[in-house]
Amino acid sequence: DRRRDSPAAGSPIQPIIKDVGEVYSRLLDHRPVIQGEIRYFVKEFEEKRGLRELRVLENLKNTIFETNERVLPKCEQAMQDNLSETFKRLQAANTMIHRLQEREYEARKLQADKVMAREEKCIAHWEEFMKEQQSKRAEVDEEHRKAMERLKEQYSDMEKELAKYVSF
């Protein structure tokens, strides 16, 4: 309004000033344009989106509340029930495995004892065999010595006999 009440209000310059004012407001004064754009954006956002995000957030809040108040305690209770049952089963399985390990250990120990007994028996048998072989060798050596002595005697007798016949 001040611009319009200026001293040049009745002069021929008035339409030019008015045009310059409009050009200024359109080119350099962005507040009305920005405000219009903001109003347009808000209007479009509210009309097209229909406060969809608010409804989604409200539904999400209700879902979280319901989950915290109803579903989570049920899940915790079910988990506790199943966890205790699972723990009992695990303890039973652990006990069974422990028994199996003890049985296997006893079986292996028994097997090792049998192997050791067999090994000791084999060693004793081998020592007996070796003693028997020593005695047989001694017998054979003795027989051989006696046979050698007999042969020596026989050959010496034969030499004596030959010596009688060679003197003719």
Side-chain angles (χ1 to χ4, degrees), residues 125-142:
H125 183 67
W126 180 257
E127 287 174 357
E128 184 181 324
F129 174 75
M130 290 305 287
K131 285 180 185 177
E132 189 178 307
Q133 291 299 316
Q134 289 281 345
S135 66
K136 284 183 180 181
R137 188 178 88 187
E139 287 177 20
V140 168
D141 285 346
E142 184 62 28

Side-chain angles (χ1 to χ4, degrees), residues 12 21 24 27 33 56 61 80 89 93 99 112 122 126 133 147:
Y24 169 79
L27 291 178
V33 173
V56 168
K61 183 182 97 176
Q80 287 296 332
R89 288 182 181 179
R99 282 189 215 143
C122 284
W126 180 257
Q133 291 299 316

Side-chain angles (χ1 to χ4, degrees), residues 102-118:
E102 286 178 358
R103 288 179 192 162
E104 186 176 329
Y105 175 74
E106 291 297 323
R108 284 185 182 178
K109 187 176 178 186
L110 183 63
Q111 188 69 20
D113 290 345
K114 286 180 181 179
V115 168
M116 287 295 284
R118 282 187 206 140

Side-chain angles (χ1 to χ4, degrees), residues 148-163:
M148 289 291 288
E149 283 180 17
R150 275 185 301 207
L151 283 173
K152 278 184 185 180
E153 286 177 20
Q154 184 182 359
Y155 281 122
S156 80
D157 287 343
M158 286 172 81
E159 267 183 33
K160 287 179 188 176
E161 288 287 318
L162 265 174

Side-chain angles (χ1 to χ4, degrees), residues 25-39:
S25 67
R26 286 184 186 226
L27 291 178
L28 300 175
D29 191 12
H30 300 295
R31 284 177 285 159
V33 173
I34 291 173
Q35 288 174 354
E37 287 296 320
I38 290 172
R39 276 188 246 124

Side-chain angles (χ1 to χ4, degrees), residues 66-77:
E66 184 177 335
T67 301
N68 284 340
E69 293 298 316
R70 295 184 188 122
V71 175
L72 191 60
K74 287 180 185 177
C75 287
E76 286 176 354
Q77 184 61 38

